[in-house]
Each structure stands twice: as structure tokens, then as C-alpha cells.
Amino acid sequence: MHSRIGLFLSPVHETGQDPNLAIRRNLDLVEYVDDLNFDEAWFGEHHTLGWGLVGAPETLIAAASQRTRQIKLAHGVVPLSGHHPFHVASRAVHLDHLTRGRYILGVGPGVPFDAKMFGLEQPVQRRRLEEALPTVLELVNGEERITQQTDWFDLRDAKLQLPRFSPQGIEVAVATSGTSQSSPRLIGQYGLSMTSFALPFALLTPGAPAHINLAHQWKYAEESAAEHGQTLDRDKWRIALPVHVAETREEAYADVREGYDRWLFEYFGKAAGREVLSPDVPRERALEARVEAGGALVGSVDDVVAGIERLQEITGGFGTLLVYVADWTSWEKTNRSMELLARYVSPRLTGSATRPQEAVDFAIASRKG
């Protein structure tokens, strides 16, 4: 039975706390949701801005593989612009073995703040993604030796020595934030999986490109797939956004309001230097404005179920909801939110609670007969 729910761990943690405990918290959370039957956990890679402490997500995936049983573990994502493609492929196959086939390789161009530290401009990031992606795909899931020379890597008759664990191949996904058509078109070109952010975390930065909504992201991917003779599977489309559930809507908002404010204004505002609030939105309504715009789900079980159903409707259908974990509240309240998602939200979406209710209804109807 699949929950159709996963985690997306950038992961971000407020400064001022023990970094070692923050890192270990991510592993504890993945172990916890594995027991709750979550389907997936994605780990991001960040090197700047202080809040995103994990620069080597493959180490957390390796550690989590030994602490979990059924949950899939994914890179979310490897910035191909900053890694030699051979090493990306080699790590992927090793993780495929450590997880015994539960690994997903997510890739992307990389975030601009890290790229600046490495001296990479955004056009170079995207060019490198396009150059490295087919090479990684062949090294991971192909059989041919590769000879390729670019201005940033050189391969001569390259082939991994270790066979992959998964005979059907390792699933490969490309992340898109809706700021460019290039990632959806790459997804279609190679017939890959898509991981989308429901709403960029800051849309107001001067000069930022207009946001491509989720339905159009899928449309561009499908158009590209048709051009290249590929097919796409909506079941392998993941959509990531922050989610917090509590017993009531009022409690849910109270749980996360202060943490959301710090995340938005301290992390994205001060650290990242972005404009984070429209002039017509007062600061005390920043959280509500994000929820109303479709960039977060906060509320009761009924509220979150309705929000996911709306998301399914406006996108035309997707496979897995990834809960972006932003540390907006205490670990205890976050754990409770995950429990409510697993026990009450997921069954409403998947229909897994239907049969027990059918048995009740049948018993009642039989007595009346």
C-alpha cells in the first residue's frame, strides 16, 4: 500500500542551534516516516546561506538506507553543474546497492547562491546540465563506453565497473522550479521523471522570471517528449510544497506562524537577499497569502485533503506529494503532522480506508434486511 506522500528535505534549519543535532534530526525524521509508510524522502544539497547545512546528501542517503526498510531515498538534487558526471553516476550506483533498489537520482542545474561561490553563471549551469545529463544516464543505466570532452570534464572509454542493483534501471528525475522551460523540456527529451516546486519561495526579486504554473510545466515536458519519441508517466511526477496538519485549522496556523515568519524573512529575505512580500500583503498575513496562492497547505485534515484534491485538479493529476520540511515548528508538532498525514490524509486520497467502511456499511445493511 502506497501513501502517495513523501518528504522533501532541503534540509533547512534555523541558525543558532547545534548543527550536529540538526543533521541527525533529518535521519530520525526519515526513520519515523518510514514506519508511517511514507513512500519517499528526498535530500537536497546546499553550500551557502547557513540554513541549508547538508553539502553531501549522499552520506545521509547512505545512513538512512541502514535505518529504514521500505521508503525510497532520493537525491533532491545533484547539481550536475558542480560535479563530474562519472562521480555522480558512481555514487548513484553505490546508493542503488546500499538501498537495495530504493534509490532515485534527482538532478538539476544547481542553486544560484552556490554557483556564485564556484564562479558559475546561470547560463553555464544550464549548459553543463544539458551536457552532463545524457552522459550520466548512459553511465548509470546504459552499457556503452563513453568518450567525451568538454571544457569542464573529459572521459575516455568510460564505464562503471560496478553493475547497478536494479535490473530495470535507476529512476532519474529532473527538478524544476517553474522559472524556465528548459528543465521540463529536458525531462520530455529523455523521458525522465519530474519533480516540481508548487511555488517558488520568492517571486518578487527584481528581474526574476515569471513563474510557469504546474500544468504548463507538464505541458512543456509532454510536448518535448512527443518531439523525441518519449512517453511520460504522471505517476512519476512529484510536487513539493510545505504542509502542516493539526487537529484544527486554528491550531495548525498557530503551530507554524512564527517559524514561517523567520524562514521567510530571515532566510529568504536577509540571507538570500530576496524580496519576499508583496506591497499589498501585510506581514501578519504572509502565511495566509502563501496558502491562498497555492504555495503551502496548512490546516486540519479536511483542509489538507481539499488542498491536495485542488492541486490534483489544476495539474491534471500527479503521483506523489512531497512535504517540504521547513522547520517551522517544534519536532514534536512536526511529527504529529506527519502522523496525521499518514493516518488520515493519505487514506482519503488513496482509498485505502474504503474496505473497512464497506464492511461496516454491509453489516448494517444486512441487519436491516
Side-chain angles (χ1 to χ4, degrees):
M1 291 172 62
H2 295 283
S3 67
R4 316 290 283 186
I5 296 175
L7 293 184
F8 192 97
L9 295 157
S10 274
V12 291
H13 298 282
E14 273 193 70
T15 56
Q17 60 182 302
D18 186 310
N20 177 261
L21 294 179
I23 290 173
R24 294 187 64 84
R25 161 61 181 170
N26 301 309
L27 294 174
D28 292 340
L29 183 58
V30 172
E31 187 174 5
Y32 178 66
V33 300
D34 181 49
D35 285 337
L36 289 175
N37 203 36
F38 274 48
D39 286 343
E40 301 171 357
W42 293 63
F43 290 88
E45 177 179 329
H46 296 277
H47 302 280
T48 55
L49 301 185
W51 286 53
L53 297 173
V54 176
E58 59 275 4
T59 60
L60 291 191
I61 294 171
S65 73
Q66 307 304 298
R67 297 174 58 167
T68 56
R69 295 172 297 171
Q70 59 84 30
I71 194 168
K72 291 184 177 180
L73 303 168
H75 257 112
V77 296
V78 181
L80 290 188
S81 61
H83 294 270
H84 194 293
F86 189 89
H87 295 304
V88 172
S90 180
R91 290 194 293 265
V93 170
H94 278 81
L95 290 171
D96 189 37
H97 280 267
L98 286 175
T99 61
R100 297 204 165 187
R102 293 186 285 131
Y103 172 70
I104 300 167
L105 172 58
V107 300
V111 295
F113 306 103
D114 294 350
K116 183 178 180 181
M117 185 170 69
F118 302 139
L120 297 175
E121 299 295 331
Q122 190 168 12
V124 176
Q125 285 182 282
R126 294 210 168 270
R127 173 178 63 81
R128 287 189 173 189
L129 171 63
E130 293 173 6
E131 288 175 341
L133 181 58
T135 304
V136 170
L137 292 174
E138 182 60 36
L139 289 169
V140 167
N141 287 330
E143 300 297 334
E144 300 299 319
R145 291 190 176 273
I146 295 178
T147 296
Q148 183 181 3
Q149 187 172 28
T150 71
D151 62 354
W152 62 289
F153 72 85
D154 194 355
L155 290 171
R156 302 179 187 184
D157 293 322
K159 186 176 182 179
L160 297 181
Q161 298 180 107
L162 181 66
R164 59 187 177 270
F165 180 87
S166 303
Q168 76 279 12
I170 296 172
E171 183 180 354
V172 180
V174 175
T176 173
S177 60
T179 57
S180 168
Q181 295 183 26
S182 61
S183 290
R185 293 197 178 280
L186 272 180
I187 289 162
Q189 180 178 348
Y190 295 103
L192 305 175
S193 303
M194 183 157 76
T195 299
S196 301
F197 290 95
L199 190 70
F201 298 129
L203 290 172
L204 307 174
T205 303
H211 179 239
I212 302 169
N213 68 39
L214 294 168
H216 278 88
Q217 291 175 36
W218 186 260
K219 175 175 172 285
Y220 293 135
E222 281 196 317
E223 288 174 351
S224 178
E227 292 168 9
H228 294 90
Q230 302 281 2
T231 57
L232 299 180
D233 184 355
R234 283 184 178 269
D235 236 25
K236 293 184 177 180
W237 184 13
R238 286 95 172 174
I239 295 178
L241 77 168
V243 181
H244 183 76
V245 194
E247 273 70 12
T248 67
R249 182 183 305 170
E250 293 75 18
E251 183 182 348
Y253 275 92
D255 284 349
V256 301
R257 188 176 300 280
E258 290 184 6
Y260 174 78
D261 188 88
R262 291 190 296 270
W263 174 82
L264 184 64
F265 290 96
E266 297 298 323
Y267 179 40
F268 282 102
K270 289 185 180 179
R274 289 175 168 175
E275 299 291 333
V276 294
L277 195 63
S278 297
D280 57 342
V281 176
R283 181 163 177 166
E284 60 270 19
R285 284 205 79 255
L287 177 57
E288 283 83 355
R290 182 171 189 86
V291 173
E292 290 163 8
L297 294 173
V298 177
S300 66
V301 167
D302 287 343
D303 292 331
V304 171
V305 168
I308 296 171
E309 288 174 343
R310 280 195 305 272
L311 197 55
Q312 288 282 3
E313 183 179 352
I314 64 175
T315 59
F318 63 94
T320 301
L321 178 78
L322 297 179
V323 178
Y324 176 92
V325 182
D327 254 8
W328 290 351
T329 189
S330 68
W331 295 353
E332 293 78 14
K333 289 178 179 178
T334 297
N335 286 1
R336 177 58 175 160
S337 175
M338 300 301 170
E339 180 188 357
L340 291 171
L341 280 166
R343 292 182 66 189
Y344 301 111
V345 173
S346 173
R348 296 259 298 271
L349 301 172
T350 65
S352 63
T354 301
R355 279 204 180 190
Q357 186 58 51
E358 283 179 352
V360 172
D361 295 342
F362 179 80
I364 295 170
S366 297
R367 287 198 301 275
K368 289 180 179 178

